[in-house]
Amino acid sequence: MNVEGGEVAELRQRLAEAEETLRAIREGEVDAFVVDGAGKAQVFHLDSGDSFRAFMEAMDLGAVALDAERRPVYANAALETLLGCSADALQRDGLFPALGPAAPKVQALLDSAASGKLSAPIGLVVGGRARHVVVTAAPLQLAFAEGFALTFTDITDRVEAAAAEESERIGRAVMASANEAVLVCDETGRITHASPAVSRIQEVSPVGRAFEEAFPLVFAPGAATMGAEDLVAIAASGSSVRGIEASMAVEGHTLELLINAAPLHGSGGKVHGCIFTLVDLTERKALEKRQALLMGELNHRMKNMLALVIAISSRTLATARDLPDFRVRFTQRISALSVTQNLLAEKSWTGLTVEELIRNELAPYVAPQGPRVTLTGLAEQVTRDTAVSLGLVLHELITNAVKYGALSNEAGRVAVTGQRQPDGSFAITWQEEGGPPVKPPRHHGFGQSVIARGLGQASGSARVEFRPEGVLCRMTLAGTSLA
């Protein structure tokens, strides 16, 4: 029992000495102290004008000396500022509560630094702002025991500068690869960056100019903004604008643009300017107008076509002997109409010649290139409407020839010739011969009406003569009917 009592007394004595040493260091009563550095001990002398406090306060880095129990012996003002914690709080609560989530990492660093100096990066949040810090731990020989020296190097500015540089590099790479024109403006609306695609809108670089000066936009009716400067103001205030249509005059022609504007946020969420994307809609707008025109034209033609089908149906029904006769005649006439439509579609609704019309109408009955049909001077191109009307007229002439005329036997022949007239019109002559003797029809049927009126007064005229030796039809296409 006496031995154990002696050991307790010795420990209490050593504790009292340690506490006295700490007090002497804090109050500047120590003349010198020794730091065991890499390979050798370093002695720091503190004369009467200085102290351990003065030495640590002279350091730019945050620094703290810890005893063996990792309690702060002294922390300098730089560390207090870095951690946002007073010296009294550090003395009262210790270092690690002030480190927050980074405390375990610093504890582990101290565990590993017992045999030598080590460093590790940590993250701190001070006053709501993230700080990047490198902590260095090293053993420290105090006058009364061993402890640790910790230094905290704030590298936040360096990290943020590197991040900003990398962000700038990535931003430039994104802008360089963007198909749309991308512009970056500062808080005043002056353009600081422009992607290569901007050159497709204007050849002169807009960098350094005010956005509204470089891009004098005219907004579509009903747009929420009145000028380019309004877009800058909206984006600079932190709001985004999307899908605004505007036009801009460039070198004698007008560009149609789709504009998006958004704020440019920097660190801490502060708006540092704005970003614009400009999409050239000129070709698309032209295509939309053309499509609208084509749709209107298609609608017009569909109405005309339906009216023509109704007319064919009504007139065929009026002259048909019975329902089977109606079905045959009506089907043939609609098929003839379909043949012309297919030809026009194959030619993209342009460039159809009279000869092509005749050959396609003849094809179901006789070889157009055979000895029984002669086609001369018929390479004249006609308009779409004229092609439809002329196709119906030719169908009636051909079916009449097949049923009653020159193509109803083995000896008959048909000659079709065309010739441009001095007044710009085009004359077509249909001449049959060698068929059965022709007698004028007793009744004026639908086929004759189609031939007589099918071309219309504006497109031309047609006249049929029922000569005994063969049918003769003279057609004239007005100059406006020719393509």
Side-chain angles (χ1 to χ4, degrees):
M1 294 294 294
N2 293 334
V3 173
E4 292 180 357
E7 291 177 352
V8 171
E10 183 180 353
L11 288 174
R12 288 178 176 173
Q13 178 63 29
R14 291 179 62 185
L15 179 59
E17 292 175 353
E19 291 177 346
E20 176 62 20
T21 303
L22 285 173
R23 184 196 63 77
I25 292 175
R26 290 174 184 151
E27 297 181 4
E29 298 177 1
V30 176
D31 295 328
F33 67 92
V34 178
V35 176
D36 190 9
K40 63 178 181 179
Q42 292 180 296
V43 179
F44 294 89
H45 295 278
L46 304 175
D47 54 29
S48 59
D50 293 317
S51 65
F52 182 62
R53 180 191 299 268
F55 172 77
M56 294 187 69
E57 293 300 336
M59 298 177 65
D60 293 330
L61 310 178
V64 62
L66 304 176
D67 62 17
E69 300 300 325
R70 301 183 181 179
R71 294 172 299 188
V73 175
Y74 182 75
N76 66 358
L79 182 63
E80 295 174 22
T81 302
L82 177 62
L83 299 181
C85 183
S86 67
D88 291 340
L90 288 174
Q91 292 292 337
R92 181 183 67 252
D93 302 326
L95 171 67
F96 300 106
L99 297 179
K105 191 170 185 179
V106 176
Q107 291 274 27
L109 183 66
L110 289 170
D111 292 340
S112 301
S115 58
K117 187 191 317 184
L118 291 176
S119 298
I122 65 169
L124 298 175
V125 178
V126 181
R129 181 187 177 190
R131 312 293 301 185
H132 301 273
V133 178
V134 174
V135 181
T136 300
L140 177 64
Q141 183 64 49
L142 299 173
F144 53 89
E146 292 187 353
F148 296 94
L150 283 179
T151 59
F152 295 77
T153 306
D154 189 351
I155 59 170
T156 303
D157 292 342
R158 189 192 317 165
V159 171
E160 290 181 350
E165 183 178 348
E166 179 65 8
S167 178
E168 175 78 5
R169 186 190 66 79
I170 294 174
R172 288 183 179 275
V174 170
M175 290 181 64
S177 62
N179 291 325
E180 295 82 11
V182 182
L183 298 164
V184 178
C185 299
D186 60 18
E187 299 94 327
T188 66
R190 192 163 299 278
I191 300 171
T192 59
H193 298 80
S195 70
V198 174
S199 62
R200 295 199 294 264
I201 296 177
Q202 55 179 229
E203 295 182 358
V204 180
S205 174
V207 174
R209 301 167 63 192
F211 178 77
E212 62 270 19
E213 174 191 340
F215 296 89
L217 301 174
V218 177
F219 292 92
T225 54
M226 298 300 295
E229 64 276 8
D230 297 310
L231 288 178
V232 175
I234 292 172
S237 68
S239 300
S240 297
V241 179
R242 298 187 181 278
I244 297 295
E245 293 189 8
S247 61
M248 185 178 75
V250 178
E251 297 179 355
H253 65 280
T254 301
L255 292 179
E256 300 288 343
L257 302 173
L258 183 69
I259 303 172
N260 299 313
L264 176 63
H265 293 285
S267 59
K270 182 182 178 182
V271 176
H272 291 282
C274 49
I275 300 176
F276 287 92
T277 59
L278 287 73
V279 181
D280 189 350
L281 299 180
T282 306
E283 292 185 5
R284 193 171 84 183
K285 286 288 186 180
L287 180 60
E288 288 176 355
K289 290 179 182 178
R290 187 169 184 273
Q291 287 177 333
L293 181 64
L294 290 176
M295 289 300 296
E297 179 72 11
L298 178 61
N299 183 52
H300 171 72
R301 291 188 178 281
M302 285 298 297
K303 289 180 178 179
N304 289 346
M305 188 61 62
L306 290 173
L308 180 58
V309 170
I310 291 173
I312 292 174
S313 173
S314 300
R315 296 300 301 274
T316 303
L317 183 62
T319 58
R321 294 187 301 272
D322 49 31
L323 189 59
D325 182 50
F326 166 78
R327 184 181 70 246
V328 171
R329 294 190 181 192
F330 180 72
T331 302
Q332 288 177 343
R333 285 164 178 159
I334 295 302
S335 296
L337 189 61
S338 175
V339 167
T340 304
Q341 295 295 318
N342 288 338
L343 271 176
L344 287 169
E346 291 173 3
K347 292 283 187 175
S348 299
W349 296 87
T350 59
L352 193 60
T353 66
V354 175
E355 184 171 341
E356 287 173 322
L357 279 171
I358 297 175
R359 288 183 179 277
N360 277 273
E361 294 292 346
L362 281 169
Y365 308 103
V366 64
Q369 67 275 16
R372 303 187 63 188
V373 178
T374 303
L375 304 177
T376 307
L378 301 170
E380 198 73 33
Q381 294 182 352
V382 294
T383 63
R384 292 171 291 186
D385 291 336
T386 301
V388 173
S389 301
L390 183 59
L392 290 174
V393 172
L394 292 170
H395 170 75
E396 295 300 329
L397 288 171
I398 291 168
T399 54
N400 184 75
V402 170
K403 290 181 179 180
Y404 314 109
L407 299 180
S408 64
N409 61 16
E410 298 297 327
R413 297 182 303 278
V414 176
V416 187
T417 58
Q419 187 175 12
R420 192 82 174 212
Q421 301 300 302
D423 62 357
S425 63
F426 186 68
I428 304 172
T429 301
W430 173 281
Q431 177 69 63
E432 298 181 25
E433 62 180 16
V438 175
K439 296 180 180 180
R442 296 178 181 179
H443 303 287
H444 190 79
F446 178 61
Q448 295 177 57
S449 297
V450 170
I451 295 172
R453 296 183 299 179
L455 296 177
Q457 293 182 351
S459 298
S461 61
R463 183 168 58 88
V464 181
E465 297 179 23
F466 294 95
R467 297 180 177 183
E469 65 273 16
V471 170
L472 173 65
C473 180
R474 291 187 176 91
M475 294 168 278
T476 302
L477 302 180
T480 56
S481 301
L482 307 177

